[in-house]
Amino acid sequence: MENETKTAPVTGAAGPSAPGAGMHHLFEPAPSGRSKCRGCGRLIALGELRFGERLPNPFGGGEMTLWFHPACAAYKRPEPFLQALVETSQEVPEREGLERAARGSLAHRRLPRIDGAERAPSGQAKCRSCRQRIERGSWRIRLAFYEEGRFSPGGSVHLDCRRAYFETGDIRDQVLHFSPALGGEERDELQRAFDTGGSGEAPPAEG
Ligand SMILES: [Zn+2]
Ligand SMILES: [Zn+2]
């Protein structure tokens, strides 16, 4: 390490530094019910603990904050999440489980892309893993790619291709977490599809 200026206080305005250096991610109770979670797209309730990822504002000077539900951040932004977990003085409910989720997501580089599961609404899309078409009505896992503060949809993979693509089969909790739109029955079907390793049968195409 060479001459680091230890005398100057480290603040956001301290001058140029490597991206992300000196950023202090945070946990805080949401002061309103209007912030939207970047991980799942849903609102964060008033008073609910939220995670803030601080990053340089790409549209000008200063910093910006991306807000997340803690669980959404643990899965999708494990690195800053774990950093904040170490630094925070806030009490974080279910801390151990969140830390486990974040470490799991960090262990395989593609896991943070998991954006939930659904039955393919058409037979048009191709699997990013095996490059075959995803049959209409079969389960697929949506992917979202993070870049510079944004998540962009990036296709999907067959549920059955999960091991090949994510290099681990241990993704059920994460997939279910990002599938809040699924009804109870669909969730059960998805659970079963995970258990059997099958893709689940396509519902009969009527009409
Ligand atoms: Zn969320
Ligand atoms: Zn596939």
Side-chain angles (χ1 to χ4, degrees), residues 18 48 50 66 110 113 141 171 173 192 195 204:
E48 195 180 351
R50 65 181 185 177
L66 307 180
R110 288 172 170 166
R113 298 177 188 171
I141 299 170
I171 61 169
D173 289 351
R192 276 200 295 279
D195 291 340

Side-chain angles (χ1 to χ4, degrees), residues 27 51 70-71 73-74 77-86 98-99 102:
F27 290 95
F51 167 73
R77 301 294 299 140
E79 230 165 354
F81 180 84
L82 287 168
Q83 191 187 326
L85 208 54
V86 172
L98 290 168
E99 189 173 343

Side-chain angles (χ1 to χ4, degrees), residues 136-196:
R136 177 166 176 242
S138 63
W139 287 109
R140 68 180 187 182
I141 299 170
R142 289 187 303 268
L143 305 173
F145 289 77
Y146 177 88
E147 199 180 5
E148 292 180 359
R150 292 176 159 274
F151 288 94
S152 314
S156 53
V157 294
H158 289 110
L159 185 68
D160 284 356
C161 288
R162 62 188 183 273
R163 273 173 208 284
Y165 186 77
F166 296 107
E167 295 165 342
T168 170
D170 188 16
I171 61 169
R172 177 163 65 180
D173 289 351
Q174 191 161 347
V175 170
L176 283 167
H177 176 82
F178 289 108
S179 309
L182 294 181
E185 207 169 296
E186 284 177 306
R187 290 179 87 77
D188 290 347
E189 287 170 20
L190 180 57
Q191 298 254 22
R192 276 200 295 279
F194 267 107
D195 291 340
T196 59

Side-chain angles (χ1 to χ4, degrees), residues 127-132 134 157-158 160-161:
C127 172
R128 274 189 84 108
S129 179
C130 71
R131 305 285 163 190
Q132 304 298 306
I134 301 176
V157 294
H158 289 110
D160 284 356
C161 288

